[in-house]
């Protein structure tokens, strides 16, 4: 409680079976840090004189007795000792805060969940997760055993409905998800040969993505969780893309660096262990998939652009047109793709205006080469700076064969293990969501039934 510039510590409690583990010090340390942050000058508290452990903690934390309240505790009639800290910004309390923070670090380390190594080889294989994905333009459901074995994976693509508009139309996406979701989930259960009664948990992508698309999956998953009483596990779509690699190569393990390249995201992520993600760099404008889509549109190739550019590029000369390599030499791990896209679009317009015949295959190949050069340079730099020996790539653009080959070659030259998921696991699917959900289920991280879609959800 805060009164003027003084803080009154009302209660500090540690569960009986967790005492003597310095958790009290951890709590007090957090409290003092918060009080300092709020500009509180001093802290006061009352404590029972018979509570030796608490007295020792407060004394070690620089609190001093300053009077008593007689008969304060109504249960035993005991007095309360009134204690005051020194000035929080003074040298003594600054030293106390630092030493408490250090012991808090030690105490909390013991309570951190153990490292997730994936499911053990033969036990824990029986849990069955139904995963649902609806963040963009695919309605997908999958059933996984033990977080690694795909019993079924159904993907209903809406591409046909969006392609005539040259991109994903959010309103159409939500409506199509609503139409498809029941059938897709039923089909996933049927193909896996299981019923809702056999399941251990329901998992769902709750962000990032289109809000109207995400809510369809989240609402349906919540309904299933409510009806069955099963836990509901929320998964970050990007974490799903990371776990796609694990489905193909179950022994892939952190520490690693991942390049996530999709229609909405482009980033390099350092993964010291599963569940811990540090973004090293990301695009400052367009996503890589978005650049493919926009260049394809300029070439009249339709949506989605990635596969169309890929096919065309295979027949073209990657050195034909020297498109810019934005940020290639910048001193960071960020990307920029809108300049490159503009350069390609401008080139096409100029050639047309000059009445020259376009060579779409050369344009596609040259654009693709520019993208790849930057991605390879940044990815290898990220791997070198983090000192990891494993690299993986995820997201729809990871389906691009030239990018896969270039990254694989660059990493192998450095003795780094590379994992590139099979094509159907690169683009959006629910199996990868189920694989990531296994980690959260194992950690006991579930969403309540008040869970909501988070369109701008971040990784880490
Ligand atoms: O991961 P994803 O299926 O959906 C999102 O989460 O965005 O990625 C879709 C993106 C689209 O922009 C599509 O053009 C791109 O991935 N893509 C490709 C290829 N296949 C799909 N980009 C380059 N080459 C491909 N072969
Ligand atoms: Zn995706």
């Amino acid at each position: 409680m805060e009164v003027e510039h003084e803080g009154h510590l009302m209660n500090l409690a540690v569960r009986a079976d967790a005492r003597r583990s310095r958790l009290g010090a951890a709590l007090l340390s957090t409290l003092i840090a918060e009080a300092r942050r709020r500009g509180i000058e001093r802290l006061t508290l009352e404590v029972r004189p018979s509570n030796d452990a608490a007295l020792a903690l407060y004394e070690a934390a620089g609190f001093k007795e300053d009077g008593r309240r007689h008969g304060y505790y109504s249960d035993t009639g005991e007095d309360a000792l009134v204690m005051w800290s020194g000035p929080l910004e003074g040298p003594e309390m600054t030293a106390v805060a630092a030493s408490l923070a250090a012991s808090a670090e030690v105490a909390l380390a013991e309570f951190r969940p153990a490292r997730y190594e994936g499911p053990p080889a033969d036990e824990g294989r029986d849990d069955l997760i139904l995963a649902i994905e609806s963040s963009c333009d695919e309605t997908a459901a999958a059933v996984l055993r033990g977080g690694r074995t795909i019993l079924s994976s159904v993907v209903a693509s809406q591409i046909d409905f969006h392609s005539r508009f040259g991109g994903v139309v959010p309103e159409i996406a939500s409506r199509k998800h609503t139409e498809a979701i029941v059938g897709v989930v039923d089909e996933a259960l049927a193909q896996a040969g299981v019923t809702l009664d056999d399941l251990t948990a329901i998992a769902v992508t709750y962000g990032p993505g289109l809000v109207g698309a995400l809510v369809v999956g989240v609402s349906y998953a919540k309904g299933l969780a409510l009806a069955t009483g099963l836990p509901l596990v929320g998964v970050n779509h990007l974490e799903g893309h990371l776990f796609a690699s694990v489905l193909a190569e179950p022994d892939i393990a952190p520490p690693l660096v991942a390049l996530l390249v999709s229609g909405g995201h482009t980033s390099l992520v350092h993964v010291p262990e599963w569940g811990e993600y540090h973004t090293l760099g990301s695009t400052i404008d367009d996503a890589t998939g978005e650049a493919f889509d926009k260049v394809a549109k300029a070439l009249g190739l339709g949506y989605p652009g990635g596969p169309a550019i890929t096919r065309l590029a295979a027949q073209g000369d990657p050195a034909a047109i020297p498109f810019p390599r934005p940020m290639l030499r910048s001193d960071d791990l960020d990307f920029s793709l809108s300049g490159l896209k503009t350069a390609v679009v401008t080139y096409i317009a100029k050639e047309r205006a000059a009445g020259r015949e376009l060579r779409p295959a050369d344009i596609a190949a040259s654009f693709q080469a520019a993208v790849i050069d930057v991605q390879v340079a940044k990815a290898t730099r990220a791997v070198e700076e983090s000192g990891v020996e494993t690299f993986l790539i995820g997201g729809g653009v990871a389906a691009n064969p030239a990018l896969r080959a270039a990254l694989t070659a660059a990493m192998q030259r450095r003795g780094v293990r590379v994992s590139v998921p099979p094509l159907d696991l690169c683009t959006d699917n629910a199996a990868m969501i189920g694989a990531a959900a296994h980690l959260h289920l194992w950690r006991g991280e579930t969403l309540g039934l008040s869970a909501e879609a988070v369109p701008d959800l971040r990784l880490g």
Side-chain angles (χ1 to χ4, degrees), residues 81-156:
L81 285 185
V82 179
M83 300 185 91
W84 281 89
S85 73
L88 292 191
E89 288 307 327
E92 191 201 359
M93 287 305 288
T94 303
V96 160
S99 102
L100 270 183
S103 66
E105 196 43 48
V106 176
L108 293 178
E110 274 193 43
F111 284 82
R112 283 207 180 97
R115 209 183 141 92
Y116 175 79
E117 309 279 6
D122 28 49
E123 11 155 349
R125 287 234 148 222
D126 292 323
D127 53 60
L128 287 175
I129 298 176
L130 167 68
I132 297 175
E133 152 68 39
S134 72
S135 65
C136 190
D137 58 349
E138 337 271 352
T139 320
V143 177
L144 267 78
R145 173 175 288 134
R148 294 295 182 273
T149 310
I150 305 174
L151 299 187
S152 65
S153 178
V154 177
V155 180

Side-chain angles (χ1 to χ4, degrees), residues 28 54 75 105 122 172 191 329:
L28 190 56
D75 53 348
E105 196 43 48
D122 28 49
I172 296 183
Q191 281 187 18
R329 314 240 165 267

Side-chain angles (χ1 to χ4, degrees), residues 330-348:
S330 73
D331 212 17
D332 53 33
L333 295 167
D334 288 333
F335 302 87
S336 164
L337 287 128
S338 93
L340 169 61
K341 168 208 68 191
T342 308
V344 179
V345 173
T346 312
Y347 173 87
I348 294 172

Side-chain angles (χ1 to χ4, degrees), residues 237 241 262 395-396 428 432:
H237 180 80
H241 277 304
S262 71
D428 288 350
M432 67 184 195

Side-chain angles (χ1 to χ4, degrees), residues 133 135-138 208 237-238 241 261-265 288-293 303-311 368 394-401 403 423 426-429 432:
E133 152 68 39
S135 65
C136 190
D137 58 349
E138 337 271 352
H237 180 80
L238 299 174
H241 277 304
V261 270
S262 71
H265 295 270
T288 313
E290 197 178 348
F292 272 86
D293 295 337
Y303 174 86
I309 298 263
T310 297
R311 277 191 297 276
Q368 188 178 272
V397 185
N400 183 283
L403 178 64
L423 297 188
C426 286
T427 45
D428 288 350
N429 64 89
M432 67 184 195

